[in-house]
Amino acid sequence: STAPGSDYAAKEFARHASQTPTLAIPASRFANDFSRPAYHLLPAANWTNETHGLFYHNGRYHIFNQKNASNLFLGQINWGHFSSPDLVNWTEHKPAITPEPGYDMHGIWSGHAVINDEGVPTLIYTTGGKKMGVGLSFPANDELTEWKKYENNPVIYGQPEGYTRTDLRDQYVWKEGDIWYMIIGFGVVEKGIEKGAVLLYKSPDLK
């Protein structure tokens, strides 16, 4: 018998339950797509833009991008992740950081990456929550394919006091002497006119 509840059905359920599904998108899906670049850093599929956070560590280059892994539109943005030994041949990894309920629930927006004072790669990203801010993430394994958000995120929460605009994003971070500096794209309103601006922060430890 093949009716539900039979030995046959139970065996089939058990066989399929023991298998791990492969959700990766095969290259064959776009093999005949004339519009898809043949030689360009891009994810296997779906929405992407704004590569950022390039650094070199333990023999490999790493770079990240804005990515919606589930669809073709701007939404559920996380940090896609690629690595390469030579800046030519790239491997796509699972996203490094993804939105979670709370301070970054509306998206992991663009940012930067540096090697910190302890020699540890550090991701510095825009947190999209009720307020926009800045978060940090650190590697959770030596291959840099697993990342863990800093427990005291966000290190900056919301715009500076006295400003009405709330959209800050796209950090760039560097060090001079003993001080880390960070600039962030922002906007101000002067006499009813919206203008672009850059916020400047400094820190002894990136935190």
Side-chain angles (χ1 to χ4, degrees), residues 55 64 81 96-97 121 123 137-140 144-149:
F55 65 85
F64 305 86
H81 179 199
I97 40 180
L123 307 185
S137 188
F138 302 100
L144 309 187
T145 55
E146 301 284 345
W147 294 80
K148 184 177 181 181
K149 295 174 185 176

Side-chain angles (χ1 to χ4, degrees), residues 109-110 126-134 156-160 163-171 183-189 194-199 201:
W109 301 98
S110 290
T126 303
T127 61
K130 292 182 178 180
K131 294 182 179 180
M132 300 197 77
V134 178
I156 296 173
Y157 189 51
Q159 74 274 21
Y163 291 89
T164 57
R165 291 288 295 267
T166 60
D167 50 338
L168 55 89
R169 62 174 66 90
D170 301 350
Q171 298 87 339
I183 54 175
I184 307 177
F186 190 55
V188 295
V189 180
E194 294 183 346
K195 299 180 180 181
V198 175
L199 300 175
Y201 291 84

Side-chain angles (χ1 to χ4, degrees), residues 41-44 48 51 61-65 80-84 90-93:
L41 175 65
L42 75 173
T48 183
T51 49
Y61 296 92
H62 295 263
I63 198 166
F64 305 86
N65 68 310
H81 179 199
F82 301 83
S83 71
S84 169
W90 292 91
T91 299
E92 184 178 9
H93 305 288

Side-chain angles (χ1 to χ4, degrees), residues 87-103:
L87 293 176
V88 177
N89 300 287
W90 292 91
T91 299
E92 184 178 9
H93 305 288
K94 71 176 186 178
I97 40 180
T98 60
E100 297 179 87
Y103 62 87

